[in-house]
Amino acid sequence: MRISFLLAALAVVTAAGPAAAQVMPYPGQPYIGDPMADQLRNRMEIQRQASAEQAAFARQHATEARLRALEIEAARQPEPYIRRELPLRSPEQERQAREQATARREAVVQGVGQIDDWLARTPR
């Protein structure tokens, strides 16, 4: 009797197993084994892989570009240091340079003064 009861319980459990696994999906959710859903998942996975490949390709090229720029910079010859000696001028040349600088400053002040006078004129 026990054996027949166990066999009957086992038959009920095995019969309910596949029925319990077939749960209705939410509206708009594809069920497992749906060929359209599988095709969509495959396409999405292909797009993810292509995107990852493109990102890796871009990172590789950015790294190579930085490396190449560093190589070019390292290969440059350093510019030689050339010390500029200021030419020695006589006292007469120094006086003449000061007079020329004073004349330039006075010309600038005179030009600015004309502009200030023009801006300060009485309106008509």
Side-chain angles (χ1 to χ4, degrees):
M1 175 138 166
R2 283 187 193 173
I3 296 175
S4 63
F5 181 71
L6 288 174
L7 288 176
L10 182 63
V12 169
V13 170
T14 56
Q22 294 180 2
V23 177
M24 290 298 293
Y26 294 111
Q29 180 183 8
Y31 60 89
I32 296 174
D34 183 9
M36 291 298 288
D38 292 339
Q39 188 179 18
L40 177 63
R41 278 191 283 276
N42 290 339
R43 286 183 183 171
M44 291 299 290
E45 187 60 31
I46 289 170
Q47 287 179 350
R48 267 192 218 100
Q49 289 175 353
S51 176
E53 287 175 8
Q54 290 173 353
F57 189 68
R59 283 192 305 272
Q60 177 186 1
H61 280 287
T63 303
E64 289 175 359
R66 284 193 304 266
L67 180 62
R68 184 67 183 143
L70 290 174
E71 288 174 355
I72 290 172
E73 188 175 333
R76 288 186 184 151
Q77 293 291 327
E79 294 183 14
Y81 176 71
I82 301 173
R83 185 174 175 167
R84 284 190 58 198
E85 297 288 336
L86 294 176
L88 296 176
R89 294 191 269 184
S90 67
E92 179 61 31
Q93 290 173 332
E94 289 288 335
R95 185 184 58 75
Q96 189 177 10
R98 283 194 307 272
E99 290 174 355
Q100 289 174 350
T102 303
R104 283 193 302 270
R105 277 194 302 275
E106 289 175 355
V108 168
V109 169
Q110 182 183 7
V112 173
Q114 290 174 354
I115 293 172
D116 288 339
D117 292 341
W118 183 81
L119 288 173
R121 74 187 192 291
T122 56
R124 295 184 185 168

